Amino acid sequence: MPITWFEPIFPYNLIYDLGSYSIFSFIFLLLYKMKIIEKRLLFLSLFFLLTPFLFNGLMFDWSFMPDQSKYLFNAYNIREDFGLIFNPTAGQVDSVVVTKVHLPAVFFALSPVLTLETYKGIALLNRTIFLLSWIFFVKKKFLDEYSAVFFLLAPSLVFYSSLALRDILVVLLMFWFIYFYYQKKKIINLIICIILYFIKYQMLITISLFIILDKIIKNDKVNFKLLFIVALSSAIIIHFINEELLIALNHVRQGFFLEEFGRYTSISALKNYQYLELDWSISSLTKVAVSFYNFIIPPALNGKYSVFSYMHLLEVIAICAFLFLKIKEQINFKKNILAKWLLVLLFSYLVNSIVIFNAGSSTRYKIPIIFFIIFGYCTNVRLDRNK
């Protein structure tokens, strides 16, 4: 079969992608025949399942998000040789690739994607999983009508669920954590946390913050005794591991810096980083504040001018408008619920901002956090209202 360097040429790629689309469409048709979803949800699902065809060839080339090649390459090799499932280091020298790429690649390889020779095949799988999760939350009334529309149309969720990346799997695992947390399914959530540890361990920080703050800040009151215990315990732990903590933090921070401003062998980049190294001095507070500011500000307001940066800015405005309307519609608005989720958001952003320098990376780290917060807040409010 004639192929290009990265995937089959037209019309082979289209035939393969339409084949995968047909397979996943059958899932929704089956749900309709089983009367699990009605005709409206069927048509919505089949229509929104088409979004992967907008990317990786139409609006932009696959190289716009080059990490996709890692997942496609590894998934393709695993499907060719299933023995690689239990030998993740075969042909790999980067432990990051092994831990973060292999598990999603195994999942992609074992999926019903027709062929793993095109990026849209994995993208269609991601989109199907997102839509199935969305349908589940809608049918279980975990999302009200307005929230359902918001999560279906949110540009970042549409975009990342239409690519051959692990990002949407992370987002959905965070959503499912919220669902099972309020269902008190601790074993399932433990499994979710283990999976997150292997594919994006940073999200465990956000989850941990949520669990702690959910115990401290109740819907109607604040547990000051527990707050004091947590604060004191944290201070004691930091006191005893402060040097080890700084070494680990600077190691990760330096890695992101060198990735953004120079190769790991770059002498100038290594020299430049010494001015950004963190310690326990007052001057480091300024460095952290600058990093936090650069992290939370949308790229379009921070000198990064592109179509996608402006789209991200518009999405931020839409998110603020959506949350404002959600708050306004509440008859019995509770500040504690909002405060809890805002604190989780701010602390999560703060921790991640310390180590990230690239605007693109910061956006990809913010996506699972912000939508975890929105999904969690909407869920928290709905459950409190239904008490």
Side-chain angles (χ1 to χ4, degrees):
M1 180 186 69
I3 59 172
T4 63
W5 178 256
F6 297 108
E7 63 177 5
I9 61 173
F10 182 84
Y12 296 103
N13 56 353
L14 180 60
I15 293 172
Y16 289 163
D17 294 334
L18 288 176
S20 292
Y21 177 82
S22 299
I23 291 173
F24 294 123
S25 295
F26 179 76
I27 296 174
F28 296 102
L29 287 168
L30 186 62
L31 292 176
Y32 173 69
K33 287 295 183 180
M34 296 172 64
K35 301 187 184 302
I36 296 176
I37 62 174
E38 61 274 17
K39 189 175 292 186
R40 180 176 64 93
L41 278 179
L42 172 64
F43 288 142
L44 273 175
S45 301
L46 295 180
F47 176 75
F48 281 97
L49 185 59
L50 291 167
T51 57
F53 290 96
L54 295 174
F55 312 112
N56 287 324
L58 184 59
M59 292 182 65
F60 56 80
D61 190 64
W62 72 269
S63 57
F64 180 76
M65 301 293 284
D67 283 357
Q68 295 181 95
S69 60
K70 298 178 185 177
Y71 300 95
L72 183 60
F73 173 78
N74 282 274
Y76 177 84
N77 285 339
I78 290 169
R79 184 171 284 189
E80 290 292 304
D81 179 7
F82 286 115
L84 293 176
I85 293 176
F86 307 103
N87 188 21
T89 58
Q92 305 287 354
V93 294
D94 188 348
S95 60
V96 173
V97 171
V98 172
T99 57
K100 293 186 176 183
V101 175
H102 183 72
L103 190 58
V106 170
F107 175 71
F108 297 147
L110 299 178
S111 73
V113 174
L114 181 62
T115 176
L116 289 171
E117 295 188 39
T118 71
Y119 293 100
K120 294 186 187 70
I122 294 177
L124 285 163
L125 170 65
N126 280 336
R127 192 65 179 148
T128 300
I129 297 170
F130 174 82
L131 289 171
L132 289 174
S133 297
W134 178 79
I135 289 172
F136 178 87
F137 294 132
V138 170
K139 298 297 288 185
K140 288 289 185 179
K141 301 189 183 303
F142 229 63
L143 294 175
D144 59 34
E145 185 176 350
Y146 296 110
S147 298
V149 172
F150 170 80
F151 283 102
L152 182 64
L153 299 180
S156 290
L157 295 181
V158 172
F159 179 65
Y160 284 104
S161 66
S162 301
L163 298 179
L165 293 169
R166 77 178 190 274
D167 295 57
I168 199 62
L169 300 181
V170 174
V171 172
L172 291 176
L173 284 170
M174 302 284 277
F175 286 179
W176 282 106
F177 180 90
I178 289 292
Y179 175 78
F180 288 118
Y181 180 85
Y182 286 111
Q183 295 293 319
K184 302 186 185 304
K185 305 292 186 181
K186 296 180 180 179
I187 300 299
I188 298 177
N189 266 347
L190 177 61
I191 295 172
I192 290 175
C193 289
I194 292 173
I195 297 173
L196 282 172
Y197 173 78
F198 285 108
I199 66 174
K200 204 174 185 71
Y201 66 87
Q202 296 89 341
M203 294 304 105
L204 294 180
I205 297 173
T206 300
I207 286 177
S208 299
L209 285 168
F210 161 66
I211 293 174
I212 293 171
L213 288 172
D214 188 57
K215 302 300 181 185
I216 294 174
I217 305 176
K218 298 298 181 181
N219 295 349
D220 301 308
K221 61 182 180 179
V222 178
N223 188 335
F224 288 102
K225 181 179 179 180
L226 181 58
L227 175 61
F228 174 76
I229 293 173
V230 170
L232 181 61
S233 300
S234 300
I236 293 173
I237 292 172
I238 291 174
H239 173 74
F240 283 105
I241 66 166
N242 65 87
E243 291 301 323
E244 292 82 359
L245 182 63
L246 268 182
I247 292 172
L249 198 60
N250 277 307
H251 175 73
V252 177
R253 180 176 165 87
Q254 184 184 53
F256 276 99
F257 178 83
L258 295 177
E259 187 179 84
E260 172 66 5
F261 298 105
R263 298 187 178 185
Y264 286 89
T265 56
S266 172
I267 297 176
S268 61
L270 285 170
K271 287 185 176 180
N272 289 333
Y273 177 74
Q274 66 182 332
Y275 301 107
L276 296 173
E277 193 170 37
L278 298 179
D279 52 35
W280 293 108
S281 65
I282 299 297
S283 61
S284 285
L285 292 177
T286 303
K287 299 173 187 175
V288 171
V290 171
S291 295
F292 183 62
Y293 172 82
N294 291 331
F295 188 84
I296 63 172
I297 295 299
L301 301 180
N302 207 20
K304 307 291 183 180
Y305 307 118
S306 67
V307 173
F308 284 93
S309 65
Y310 287 120
M311 288 180 62
H312 178 65
L313 177 61
L314 291 174
E315 182 178 48
V316 170
I317 295 172
I319 288 173
C320 293
F322 171 75
L323 291 175
F324 176 77
L325 293 175
K326 290 295 292 184
I327 293 172
K328 290 288 290 183
E329 74 173 8
Q330 296 175 41
I331 298 175
N332 185 24
F333 171 67
K334 293 184 177 179
K335 295 180 181 179
N336 281 4
I337 298 178
L338 180 62
K340 174 179 64 182
W341 288 102
L342 283 177
L343 286 172
V344 176
L345 176 68
L346 292 174
F347 278 119
S348 297
Y349 274 14
L350 176 62
V351 173
N352 284 279
S353 70
I354 293 174
V355 299
I356 296 175
F357 293 88
N358 179 273
S361 296
S362 67
T363 299
R364 289 180 66 178
Y365 273 75
K366 285 188 289 187
I367 293 302
I369 296 174
I370 186 62
F371 284 103
F372 172 79
I373 298 300
I374 298 171
F375 187 83
Y377 177 70
C378 292
T379 299
N380 201 165
V381 169
R382 186 191 66 81
L383 293 176
D384 180 70
R385 183 174 61 236
N386 293 339
K387 282 183 177 179

